[in-house]
Amino acid sequence: MSKPTPGPQQIPVVVLAGFLGSGKTTLLNHLLHRSGGTRIGAIVNDFGSIEIDAMAVAGALGDSTVSLGNGCLCCAVDASELDVYLERLARPSTGIDVIVIEASGLAEPQELVRMLLASEHPGIVYGGLVEVVDAAEFGDTRAKHPEIDRHLALADLAVVNKLDRATDGERVLGIVRQLADRAAVVPATYGCIDPAFLFDCRPSEERIGQLSFDDLHQHGEHHTDHADHSGHLHSAYDSLSFVSDIPVDPRRLMGFLDGRSEGLYRIKGYVDFGPYDAANRYAVHAVGRFLRFYPEPWPDAEARLTQLVLIGSGIDTAALTKELEACKSDAPHADEQGMWGVLRYVQDPEEAAFEEP
């Protein structure tokens, strides 16, 4: 009996999902730097008009990135529109081996997987759903957003991240294993996992527990009405984008950050402290109570701006904007003690080698 003729090579498309600040961008950057020669293309979906996450991975990906800002991918496009973005990465000339869709922290992964399974692009194939969990914030996140249980139930791979910050890591791992009973559960810190977990996660009819198109229809009732997203996580969240060409006073900013309300869950972006550190901009990363700054040299020929995205539930965006405006300072000279508050949240250089903002 002759062997069947193989069809055209198809590129697996992996959906990387997880709640705000769970570590998706950190994990993607880890994969990009440790891909072992595998060429990765990415579609990065930020929630907010400033594409901070896309900026964080652009240096590693170059022209292999498609970034979608100011909206949730699961609502902003349909399957045919997603095919347009996939086409840019799946062309043979790009030489890409795997595509990763990094969803916004408020996306509905079920919808993204449905769009991929409905795709008519012959060059791609669904490569699995990876759900990233913040072990340190898991209890609070799950209490506020029980949808997380459903997301884990759909996952092909669950990455329990930030275990080094969790006081009850083993308990979190046990709960995730129960909720994601069809998925492999991988513990991680700083998003460091073996890339083989993702690149080998290819769908097939023989794979036990592989998500099917019919399975997705059984997990919800309103998938055909793309105008109704009231049940999505992002429907309960607001986003604020702040841009300033005037430097920020570090003491005022720390006062703002130390006093941030519970509803302000996620802050990310870059800060210009002007004369306090003229050589560097500071990437800021806040998730819940966690706060970290990452100084890095200003890119050549790039405008010196403070660019922040704030995401929260029930936040007063006008009041927050006013508070951030009050952090501006065009003073020409720096107080030598002014940065002390910021520097408390700059990590040890040896630790920084393993973590991306």
Side-chain angles (χ1 to χ4, degrees), residues 109-301:
Q110 174 178 322
E111 296 291 342
L112 298 179
V113 175
R114 286 186 64 253
M115 283 192 281
L116 282 173
L117 292 174
S119 170
E120 297 182 355
H121 194 296
I124 65 100
V125 62
Y126 171 57
L129 168 63
V130 180
E131 184 76 14
V132 185
V133 169
D134 181 344
E137 298 288 337
F138 182 66
D140 290 342
T141 301
R142 192 179 175 215
K144 294 177 183 177
H145 301 288
E147 301 93 334
I148 299 298
D149 289 12
R150 173 168 50 81
H151 296 175
L152 284 167
L154 294 172
D156 296 294
L157 174 71
V159 178
V160 182
N161 196 29
K162 304 186 183 181
L163 277 170
D164 56 315
R165 299 176 193 160
T167 57
D168 55 350
E170 287 302 317
R171 178 175 174 273
V172 172
L173 279 168
I175 295 173
V176 172
R177 288 188 179 105
Q178 290 177 353
L179 296 173
D181 61 350
R182 301 195 309 172
V185 177
V186 179
T189 57
Y190 306 123
C192 294
I193 66 170
D194 186 342
F197 280 122
L198 273 73
F199 306 152
D200 292 341
C201 188
R202 296 169 181 261
S204 68
E205 295 180 359
E206 294 78 23
R207 182 181 172 208
I208 298 175
Q210 172 62 43
L211 204 59
S212 71
F213 198 85
D214 291 336
D215 289 334
L216 290 165
H217 279 285
Q218 294 170 7
H219 282 86
E221 299 177 356
H222 302 290
H223 307 308
T224 57
D225 183 3
H226 223 60
D228 179 13
H229 306 290
S230 58
H232 292 194
L233 280 172
H234 56 76
S235 64
Y237 276 76
D238 298 305
S239 171
L240 164 66
S241 299
F242 176 79
V243 179
S244 173
D245 59 0
I246 298 175
V248 168
D249 181 273
R251 279 201 177 99
R252 296 178 194 174
L253 182 64
M254 288 310 304
F256 171 82
L257 293 172
D258 288 339
R260 62 192 185 276
S261 64
E262 182 180 348
L264 184 55
Y265 185 84
R266 181 85 166 96
I267 303 172
K268 56 185 176 178
Y270 299 95
V271 181
D272 175 16
F273 287 120
Y276 287 89
D277 189 346
N280 295 301
R281 67 180 182 180
Y282 282 69
V284 59
H285 171 75
V287 180
R289 296 175 298 277
F290 178 78
L291 174 65
R292 190 63 58 79
F293 285 97
Y294 304 82
E296 58 184 55
W298 282 101
D300 293 337

Side-chain angles (χ1 to χ4, degrees), residues 16 18-21 24-25 43-55 66-76 101-108 112 145 229 232-242 263-269 286 307-315 317:
L16 181 60
F19 195 62
L20 295 166
K24 299 181 298 298
T25 301
I43 296 176
V44 181
N45 180 206
D46 260 9
F47 189 76
S49 60
I50 305 173
E51 298 169 1
I52 300 297
D53 288 346
M55 291 162 66
V66 175
S67 61
L68 306 172
N70 199 25
C72 226
L73 179 59
C74 62
C75 300
I101 298 179
E102 184 196 340
S104 86
L106 299 172
E108 190 67 21
L112 298 179
H145 301 288
H229 306 290
H232 292 194
L233 280 172
H234 56 76
S235 64
Y237 276 76
D238 298 305
S239 171
L240 164 66
S241 299
F242 176 79
L264 184 55
Y265 185 84
R266 181 85 166 96
I267 303 172
K268 56 185 176 178
Q307 302 181 79
L308 297 173
V309 171
L310 288 70
I311 303 171
S313 176
I315 58 176
T317 56

